[in-house]
Structure formats: structure tokens, C-alpha cells
Amino acid sequence: ETGVTQTPRHLVMGMTNKKSLKCEQHLGHNAMYWYKQSAKKPLELMFVYSLEERVENNSVPSRFSPECPNSSHLFLHLHTLQPEDSALYLCASSPTGGKLFFGSGTQLSVL
Amino acid sequence: GENVEQHPSTLSVQEGDSAVIKCTYSDSASNYFPWYKQELGKRPQLIIDIRSNVGEKKDQRIAVTLNKTAKHFSLHITETQPEDSAVYFCAATFLRQLTFGSGTQLTVLP
């Protein structure tokens, strides 16, 4: 265990559903991240929250909406996703400028 | 922004041989270069990292070298073992944002 916990581990949803992914860290880190991992592609940074300030990747569609209520919790709200959004979604945390610690990920399938 | 190229995409070696994975980066301001190992169905885990003020770092069978002038860095695994089989990702970072390479699937053949 790295101290970064993600739920759920697996999620199947229809294109009209609304769901949320949750991430929690108790490592005292002040930055949290969402990454998307698709087959045969690099890990793609979606969002960064550093000291609760959001830094966005402008290529992320608006159907993905992050929320960071405090430095220990991070959510990714999903709405009207497309089949191509099926992927492994990884949460990570780090101290400022430090090493990334990843969660186990949520394997998302959009039908 | 930063762009990281990683080669090869797949690599097979005999147990006991060495493996080398290479990455290049585009942003000369990048100053931190970690390597992650991801076993099948598991999370990426940091195995070694290097900062831009150092040219080489070693941890048992794993070493990383950095050439800032050429903007490339490499992972070296010696005396490979079957448990080294995994996908390896390089990354480069500047101002907290990591950009990852596309990964190398390493297979160590017994």
C-alpha cells in the first residue's frame, strides 16, 4: 500500500449515467493528481490540485469534472461519458516537487 | 510543454542479461526524472529517480544516467530476473507536472 486509496476499483457505466471516482491520501502531501491510462498510450495528466488550487489540462473534455474539498480528498465526477473514455483512472499524490505515489486505480468501462 | 519519447516499446532479454531503456525530453528546464515500474494489474511504483544536478545514480541492480546536454536519460537493469518483467515508464518534470513516456514492456525470459 502506498497510502493512496481509490474507490471503486472497477466501474461500468452507461453513457447517460453520472458517477464519481474517489481518492484519499493520508500522507500529508499537498498535491493530488488525476491521470488517465489507456492501452498503448502514455499516462495522461488530467488535473492537478496543488495546495487546493486546480491546474487543468486544457484538452480534458468538460464531461470530466474534478473536485478537491481538502488536501486529503480528490474526486472525479463523470457525466455523459463516451466509450473512448474507457480506461484506467489513476489518482496520485506528492509533496511539493516530490515523488508521485499512485493509487491502485479505477478500471472504467463505458458502454 | 514537455514531450518525452521512450524506446524501445518492447524489450525481451534472457535472465541474467542487462536491459537498457532510453528516454529523451524536450524541455531543457526539466529537473527531475523518475522511473516507474508497473506490473500487470498493479499501480505504477517509483523504482529510481534522478535530479538534474546529478549524472548517475545507482540502487543495487538498477541505475539511471542523465545527459543534460543531449536531453536524454536511461534506465539500466543488470542481472535481470523474471520478477523484473513489467512495463517501465520514464518521466520528466518541471514545476510539479510530470510528463510520462509511452512505456516499455520488459520481458525477462527464464
Side-chain angles (χ1 to χ4, degrees), chain A residues 40, chain B residues 6-13 20-21 86 103-107:
Chain A
K40 298 182 181 179
Chain B
Q6 183 172 347
H7 299 281
S9 57
T10 60
L11 178 61
S12 293
V13 298
V20 180
I21 303 170
T104 297
Q105 173 68 62
L106 174 65
T107 303

Side-chain angles (χ1 to χ4, degrees), chain B residues 65-79:
Chain B
T65 58
L66 171 65
N67 183 326
K68 285 174 58 180
T69 303
K71 290 189 283 186
H72 66 71
F73 57 112
S74 301
L75 178 71
H76 305 253
I77 306 174
T78 58
E79 300 171 29

